[in-house]
Amino acid sequence: MHPVAPLTLSAVLAATVLLSGCGTQHGLSGGERTSGSPSCRPSPTAAGTTGTTGTTGTERDDVTLLGPGCGSVLANEFQVANNGTEKLTYTIGFDVLNDSGHVMSNVRQTVAAVGPGQTVKATVEPDTSAPGGGAASRIRISQVRAVPAGEAPSTAGACPPSGIHLSADEGDAAMGLRVVGLRLTNCGTGPYRLSGHPGLQLLDEKRTPVTGVRMLQGTEEISSGLEPAPAPQAMTLQPGESAHSSLAWRNTTGSGDPVNVPYVRVTAKPGAPAVTVTPELDLGTTGRLGVGAWRKTTS
């Protein structure tokens, strides 16, 4: 259960490069590291205007839309400029709009390991066959999240030095109840021992610690409708085996200021390297988060 609509990459994004004659090619998944200006940069205004909100959506945090790509009004080049002091991995949400300015769908793209002072350029292009009420016309930036590159979550690819892939799913939501799953896979060459609950540190938009939230051992106090979790057990994951946990909360609001937690630093066990995920916790004013124990995945 999750408050944010899923951003389905395969439904609305296709990997593209700029057409020949438009200068340097820029890949979708990673982009080109460069400090120069693009050789083809139309005005960004036309690419981002929503027609409904009065804002362009062409620039947000470190990400800027650079306008339609050469040869297609639907291709949009964008750049990520890391103005910070550490290497970051960015996840960028885009809204795909029709001619009337209505959101047809959402897409998400990751640009990995952008160094301090570095600029990375890439191109997105909506799939014109995607459903959603009209032809795709424009793209705007809807959300930007950035985590330290060394703490970026992973589900596949090269095995990190920690020996595990760790990530959060997109969750589910109903009647104010939210649940997000954590998944850990042993991608190393030896056994990985695990027990208890994952360790969590809650972080705000600026990735500074959030205080005042009670961490509950288990999720039963959040909702009686959730499956009771067994007592924490020690386990050994052989290479390729996985375990899972869950985070549960309610977004009920009452007196006081609602608490929103976009980032969570997760440690699989004491002493393990942290992984920063973005479950977008909208905790309302409840001040509670249920944390399930690790359970070995059987299927």
Side-chain angles (χ1 to χ4, degrees), residues 29-51:
S29 61
E32 178 198 352
R33 272 67 174 169
T34 177
S35 58
S37 300
S39 57
C40 176
R41 182 190 291 184
S43 168
T45 304
T49 302
T50 67

Side-chain angles (χ1 to χ4, degrees), residues 3 178 202-205 208-214 249-263 280-289:
R178 278 82 161 104
L202 309 185
L203 305 175
D204 64 15
E205 290 260 359
T208 57
V210 174
T211 60
V213 177
R214 289 176 55 208
W249 71 98
R250 290 191 177 276
N251 72 336
T252 309
T253 57
S255 60
D257 296 325
V259 176
N260 294 306
V261 180
Y263 301 99
E280 306 292 338
L281 308 181
D282 58 339
L283 299 174
T285 56
T286 62
R288 302 194 309 167
L289 176 66

